[in-house]
Every structure is written in structure tokens, then in C-alpha cells.
Amino acid sequence: MHTTTKYAATALAAALGVTALAGCGSSDDDTSGSGASKGSTTVTLVSHDSFTASDDVLKEFTKETGYTVKVLKSGDAGAALNQEILTKGSPRGDVFFGVDNTLLSRALDQGLFTPYKAKGLDDVSADTQLDAKHRVTPVDTGDICVNYDKKYFADKKLDPPQSFADLLKPAYKNLLVTENAATSSPGLGFLLGTVADSGEKGYQDYWKKLKANGVKVVDGWEQAYNEEFSGSAGGKKANADRPLVVSYASSPPAEVYYADPQPAEAPTGVATATCFRQIEFAGLLDGAKNEAGGKALLDFLISRTFQEDMPLQMFVDPVLKDAKPPEVYTKFGATVDKPFTVAPEEIAANREQWVRTWTSLVVK
């Protein structure tokens, strides 16, 4: 996400940088991260730091196809995409995972991908298929939403906010922390949600009022959620004092899943009328050295095996229509029936200006 695997279990994996996630079925000794040579049994996936998958699942891919997956992690989604643009035509790998609908137009305009219609795409939700030319394949969705600390609001006998308009009320003054829209994927998603809610003319006034109501802006999700938000496990340890944070609709099940012992109820809730829908894609990189392996990997990313493993690995929703996420994910995750969206072409035309305007209003 950008879609992030936002929790401690993946922090270690992110620190490793380049990780061989599946180790069987390969005699190839190429660990350069620059893609596989012709006939190689290695396929290289370039991604943001938050990509992860169960070892058993990627071993199943190796068993089915003969290809071993190597993952080259390259920082957050924006940084990873920038590196691929700089190496366009001579990519560092075969498949890129992690471009979402907020940055999709930039990737497509740069010609980074070779068109390929993945096997099984007809079983993927139609509303996630934003590129008719199949230069990218949808892999997951996630909703960026305000999360709240249930205990704080219960102790204060105060109803938590549910909408963008609620966040402007005096009762919630100095309670919200969000991420910088210029440096953070959830921060940008939250900005786009306000644009969708208030309109091209209204969002500036909205942010002026939100700033006056004490919104705090930090660089990224990790700081906002694990250092500033009182409802998270990390925030509790840090004595955080902000009971509202911009995070994801899937953050509550993560709080439950990683707790020991697991609570009967999630300690955090979701303001479902503040949610912006992210769609995350993968694509076959133009100039990939192992094109056949890349195509096989794209097929696998939308297979039932990968799609049902993904929710508790990256805390995102499957795009495969009949995929069944684990019970802990569905039980504690928020259902967002009407997320805010902005058309990719509208984002492409206005993203930079929206971010510049937001920065001038809120940060400077």
C-alpha cells in the first residue's frame, strides 16, 4: 500500500532489502537483483518494502511453475516507482508490484510495462481493472480511513467521529494525526478523500478548518500510527496522546492478530465515512529478462492461493471475487460499502497541484 504491511512481523522483512522468499526448485545462482537471464528459473519481483507472502505459498508457486521468486524491495511505493522510471527499458527485475491508483497514470505514461492479460483476470472484480490495455494487473484493494481509539472515546463518553465533517467539530480538536500528503501514501489518500468529499473548490476550505481544529501532520504512517496514535500497541508503549489517526480499514484486525493474547474485540475502530479506496497493481516490466517467469508470477498473484494468503500478510483485500480471507481478518475488519474514489485521469491531471496547495495550506 503504500499499501503497507504495517506491523512488526514485516519490519524485519523490510530491513532485509532483497529476500529470497521461495527457495525450492531453483539451481540458478543469480542473486544480483537485476532480473534473470534467459532460461533462468529465477523470477525477480521489484516492490515497495511492504510486500510479503507466506513461504509455503511461494514454494507452491515454485512447485507449480519451476520458478523461484526473488524480491527486491525499494523503499516506499513512490521511491520504488521512481527507481523503475530511472531504469526504464533496463529494469532491475521482471515484475513490479506496488503501483496504486494514485500513481498509476505516472507509471503508464512512462511506458514501464509490457501488456499482458493474466490468466484468471475474468474472475477479478471489474471495478479494479482500470487499464483496458492490461499493462497492469490489479492485485489488492485497501481503504485509507480514520481509525479511532475505542477506550479513549468510551472513557470520555464521546462518540467517535464517522465522517470528514465530524472531524471539524470542536469536540475533536487536537485529536487527529495524519501523514504528509507529499511524502506518504495514506496521507495522499486521505487528501484525495477530502477532494472527493468536498470537491475541487471545497477541499481547500476544509483543510483550513481542519488545521484550525488542531490536526497534526507527520512524515509517514509508521510515526503516525505507532508513535502518535493512542489506540495502537506501539502508541500505548510510546504514551501517545492522539486518539484519531489516518490508517486503514484493515488496521483493527492487525491489532487483534498480533496481540498476545488476542483480545475478543479490536481496540480500535474505523470511521467508515472517511475512507478512500486504494487499488494496487503489478505489471510485467518492459525489458524483463525473464518474461515467461514474469507472466507466470502475474498469473499467480491473482490465484486463489495467493489471494487468500495475502490478507494476513499485507492486510489488504483480495480482488479475486470468490477468495475467502481468514476469519480474523473479516471478523475484525471494517466493511466500507461506499468508499470515496477519484478517477485515475483526474488524479493524473491534478495530483501535483493538489499536493502543492495542501502543503501551502497545512505544512508551511
Side-chain angles (χ1 to χ4, degrees):
M1 221 62 323
H2 94 202
T3 313
T4 38
T5 308
K6 307 167 273 283
Y7 305 95
T10 56
L12 176 60
L16 295 178
V18 180
T19 308
L21 290 177
C24 60
S26 175
S27 59
D28 191 284
D29 195 36
D30 175 18
T31 57
S32 66
S34 60
S37 61
K38 185 176 181 180
S40 172
T41 57
T42 298
V43 57
T44 300
L45 176 70
V46 184
S47 177
H48 51 60
D49 283 347
S50 297
F51 178 87
T52 188
S54 298
D55 286 345
D56 287 346
V57 165
L58 290 185
K59 286 177 181 177
E60 180 63 26
F61 171 72
T62 302
K63 181 180 178 181
E64 291 177 5
T65 67
Y67 295 110
T68 298
V69 179
K70 291 184 182 294
V71 179
L72 176 59
K73 296 184 177 182
S74 304
D76 66 23
L81 179 60
N82 285 341
Q83 290 189 57
E84 289 315 299
I85 290 173
L86 290 173
T87 58
K88 182 174 65 172
S90 299
R92 298 174 299 151
D94 305 302
V95 170
F96 182 85
F97 169 82
V99 62
D100 73 5
N101 49 314
T102 69
L103 295 171
L104 179 60
S105 62
R106 186 178 179 203
L108 297 183
D109 289 346
Q110 289 290 331
L112 291 184
F113 303 114
T114 298
Y116 172 65
K117 184 177 181 180
K119 295 176 182 177
L121 192 62
D122 291 343
D123 296 320
V124 166
S125 298
D127 59 359
T128 66
Q129 299 185 40
L130 302 186
D131 179 38
K133 296 180 180 179
H134 305 302
R135 290 165 291 181
V136 290
T137 300
V139 176
D140 64 73
T141 66
D143 293 311
I144 296 168
C145 318
V146 170
N147 284 210
Y148 57 85
D149 178 353
K150 290 181 178 179
K151 185 177 185 303
Y152 174 92
F153 288 97
D155 290 347
K156 297 292 184 180
K157 296 181 171 56
L158 176 65
D159 290 334
Q162 289 300 323
S163 66
F164 287 115
D166 285 348
L167 295 172
L168 301 180
K169 294 178 180 179
Y172 308 115
K173 187 177 180 66
N174 298 327
L175 301 188
L176 174 65
V177 57
T178 189
E179 302 84 0
N180 191 317
T183 59
S184 164
S185 178
L188 176 58
F190 187 60
L191 168 59
L192 293 175
T194 65
V195 172
D197 182 48
S198 299
E200 170 69 23
K201 297 180 179 179
Y203 85 96
Q204 296 184 42
D205 186 55
Y206 178 84
W207 277 97
K208 290 176 184 177
K209 293 177 180 178
L210 194 62
K211 183 177 182 179
N213 210 37
V215 64
K216 184 175 184 177
V217 177
V218 297
D219 285 341
W221 181 91
E222 183 68 32
Q223 182 182 357
Y225 193 84
N226 284 324
E227 298 179 22
E228 301 285 348
F229 176 47
S230 62
S232 70
K236 288 181 175 66
K237 291 180 181 178
N239 294 316
D241 60 1
R242 294 261 165 169
L244 298 172
V245 65
V246 173
S247 191
Y248 293 84
S250 56
S251 295
E255 289 292 337
V256 173
Y257 184 68
Y258 286 115
D260 186 19
Q262 290 186 358
E265 180 182 343
T268 60
V270 175
T272 55
T274 66
C275 298
F276 176 81
R277 173 64 50 87
Q278 265 186 330
I279 305 170
E280 200 164 28
F281 302 87
L284 180 67
L285 286 163
D286 181 51
K289 293 181 174 63
N290 190 351
E291 187 170 304
K295 291 177 178 179
L297 183 56
L298 288 172
D299 295 343
F300 188 72
L301 291 177
I302 58 172
S303 70
R304 180 188 290 273
T305 299
F306 185 85
Q307 290 280 301
E308 292 186 350
D309 178 64
M310 191 172 59
L312 290 184
Q313 296 298 320
M314 294 188 282
F315 288 88
V316 289
D317 295 330
V319 294
L320 189 67
K321 287 181 284 190
D322 60 354
K324 296 180 180 179
E327 182 181 4
V328 67
Y329 186 83
T330 56
K331 180 178 180 180
F332 296 103
T335 300
V336 183
D337 293 323
K338 296 181 179 179
F340 288 99
T341 61
V342 179
E345 57 271 21
E346 188 176 353
I347 295 174
N350 298 285
R351 179 180 56 239
E352 301 306 322
Q353 181 58 52
W354 287 338
V355 170
R356 284 196 296 270
T357 299
W358 178 90
T359 300
S360 68
L361 291 173
V362 183
V363 179
K364 294 182 177 180

